Amino acid sequence: MKKDFLTIRDFTREEILGTFKLAAEMKAHAQNYSSALKGKTLAMIFEKPSLRTRVTFDVGIQQLGGFSVCLLPMEISLGKRESVHDVAKNLERMVQGIMIRTFAHQIVVEMAKHASVPVINALTDYSHPCQAMADYLTIQEVKGELKGLKLCFVGDGNNVAHSLMFAGARLGVHVTVACPKGYEPNPTAFQSALEDAKQTGAQIEVVHDAMEGVKNADVIYTDVWASMGQESETEKRKAIFHPFQVNKQLMAKANAGAIFMHCLPAHRGDEVTDEVIDSPASVVFQEAENRLHAQKAVMYQLMK
Ligand code: CP
Ligand code: NVA
C-alpha cells in the first residue's frame, strides 16, 4: 500500500475492495475498533468549506481512539504565510496523518512528497477520492455486485466525476459522463481512466446528451454545476447546464431500479429536483454516512 491516498489510482483494485470490506466491518462493529488508532492525531487542513468531510474525519478519528486538529484557511494560509514544504516538515513531527482539502492538486502532491506521515486528499480541484470510495461502497451495499454496473454522472466533468471514473475503471463499473460541450472531464484524467479500464473491461465514455447518457444506467449521479472556487460562474452555468438537470423524466430513462446519488451539498431545483432527491431511489444520506466508514478504513490502513 502506498504511503498516501491522493487519488483513487493510488489504490489497486484489491486495496479498494479490501477497504470496502474493512469499512463494512467497522460499520457493523464500530466498538471493535475503538482503540485501532489509539493516541494518534490527524491534522485536517481546510482551504475550502465543508460539512461532511469535516464531521466524518473528525468523528472517524475519534471513533478509532485518536484525535484531530482542524486548521482553517485563516490559520495556516498554506503557501502564503508558510510554504507547503515547511508546513509538512512541522506537521510530521506533531501528527500521524494529514488530511487536506485545497484548490490545486499539486499542493497535496507536494505535501505528500515532503511529509513523512500519510497525506489524505479530502478534495482538490482535480479529484475527490474519499468521496468515490464512499460512493462505490454505497453502490455495493445497495446493488451487491459492482462489476458490470453502469453509472452515469450527469453534469460538470469535475473533481467528483474524475474520481468516479478512476474508481469505476478499477472496479469494472462502466462510467458515462453526460456533460455540456466544453465541460468535459480533464483529458489527462479521462486518458488515465481509459488506461486503467483495460484491466477490468469497464467502458468509460463522455456524451453530450443527458437522455442518451442515462440509458441502461443503474446509478444516476450528479453534483453542483459550479464547484467551490467557481462561484462567479454560477449564473452563466445555470443556463448551460439546465438540460442536464436530474429530474423525474431523466430518471425514467434509466434502468428500472436505478438509484440516485449526489456527493452533496445539493442545489435543489438546479442539478436535481426535490422529487428525485427525496424519492425512494435516492441514497444520498446513506452515501453521506458512508464517508465516515470508508474514511475510517482508509485512515486505519495508512496510519496504523
Ligand atoms: N461531499 C462532500 O465532500 O461534502 P463537504 O463539502 O460538505 O465536505
Ligand atoms: N464538485 C464539488 C464537490 C463538493 C463536495 C466542489 O468541488 O465544490
Side-chain angles (χ1 to χ4, degrees):
M1 184 158 277
K2 287 194 172 172
K3 174 176 82 72
D4 310 293
F5 185 50
L6 305 187
T7 100
I8 285 287
R9 301 185 78 221
D10 285 342
F11 276 31
T12 63
R13 172 181 164 76
E14 289 65 38
E15 285 167 347
I16 297 172
L17 292 172
T19 304
F20 291 165
K21 210 169 154 203
L22 181 58
E25 167 68 19
M26 287 175 158
K27 187 172 180 174
H29 305 288
Q31 66 287 358
N32 292 352
Y33 296 87
S34 59
S35 302
L37 292 181
K38 193 168 191 262
K40 302 209 172 180
T41 299
L42 178 77
M44 310 195 301
I45 301 176
F46 284 98
E47 299 212 291
K48 290 177 177 174
S50 169
L51 169 67
R52 281 146 291 273
T53 304
R54 165 85 195 257
V55 175
T56 53
F57 269 105
D58 203 347
V59 170
I61 187 79
Q62 290 182 51
Q63 288 186 358
L64 294 170
F67 308 96
S68 71
V69 54
C70 187
L71 298 151
L72 299 173
M74 286 300 287
E75 290 172 306
I76 45 177
S77 200
L78 200 58
K80 295 185 193 88
R81 182 171 183 266
E82 196 157 8
S83 70
V84 175
H85 169 275
D86 286 1
V87 172
K89 288 295 164 203
N90 277 267
L91 287 179
E92 72 181 17
R93 289 167 181 260
M94 304 162 185
V95 300
Q96 288 68 49
I98 302 169
M99 181 235 86
I100 169 161
R101 164 169 288 197
T102 188
F103 293 86
H105 191 73
Q106 195 48 36
I107 293 177
V108 296
V109 173
E110 211 183 320
M111 186 74 79
K113 184 176 146 203
H114 298 303
S116 58
V117 297
V119 174
I120 299 172
N121 172 4
L123 184 146
T124 66
D125 291 342
Y126 184 68
S127 64
H128 197 0
C130 294
Q131 183 68 51
M133 205 57 111
D135 293 341
Y136 284 95
L137 171 67
T138 308
I139 299 170
Q140 193 184 57
E141 282 178 349
V142 178
K143 296 278 182 192
E145 180 64 29
L146 287 170
K147 203 166 189 321
L149 292 177
K150 175 180 168 178
L151 179 151
C152 180
F153 179 94
V154 184
D156 186 23
N158 63 16
N159 44 9
V160 172
H162 293 164
S163 292
L164 290 170
M165 290 193 309
F166 296 150
R170 284 272 195 267
L171 296 165
V173 175
H174 309 304
V175 178
T176 298
V177 176
C179 60
K181 286 208 170 92
Y183 294 89
E184 292 84 5
N186 169 307
T188 309
F190 185 64
Q191 286 306 323
S192 303
L194 285 185
E195 189 55 39
D196 294 348
K198 287 183 191 154
Q199 309 254 321
T200 54
Q203 289 158 26
I204 311 292
E205 58 169 7
V206 175
V207 299
H208 295 111
D209 183 281
M211 292 281 187
E212 182 195 335
V214 302
K215 236 181 264 167
N216 302 319
D218 305 290
V219 180
I220 309 296
Y221 198 117
T222 193
D223 184 12
V224 292
W225 293 335
S227 285
M228 291 180 276
Q230 299 173 331
E231 288 79 5
S232 65
E233 294 179 35
T234 302
E235 285 313 310
K236 175 185 150 201
R237 283 175 176 248
K238 268 190 190 183
I240 296 169
F241 281 84
H242 189 68
F244 292 82
Q245 182 186 65
V246 179
N247 50 36
K248 222 168 98 185
Q249 291 72 31
L250 192 67
M251 286 300 290
K253 298 281 178 201
N255 276 350
I259 56 170
F260 172 75
M261 300 183 78
H262 193 311
C263 54
L264 305 177
H267 291 163
R268 290 165 172 260
D270 285 347
E271 75 272 6
V272 62
T273 58
D274 284 341
E275 63 181 352
V276 169
I277 199 169
D278 296 328
S279 73
S282 172
V283 297
V284 297
F285 300 118
Q286 182 177 344
E287 182 186 357
E289 179 191 331
N290 280 336
R291 292 288 304 279
L292 173 68
H293 310 296
Q295 289 159 194
K296 281 171 72 179
V298 169
M299 283 191 283
Y300 175 68
Q301 293 175 96
L302 298 183
M303 293 171 64
K304 68 176 184 278

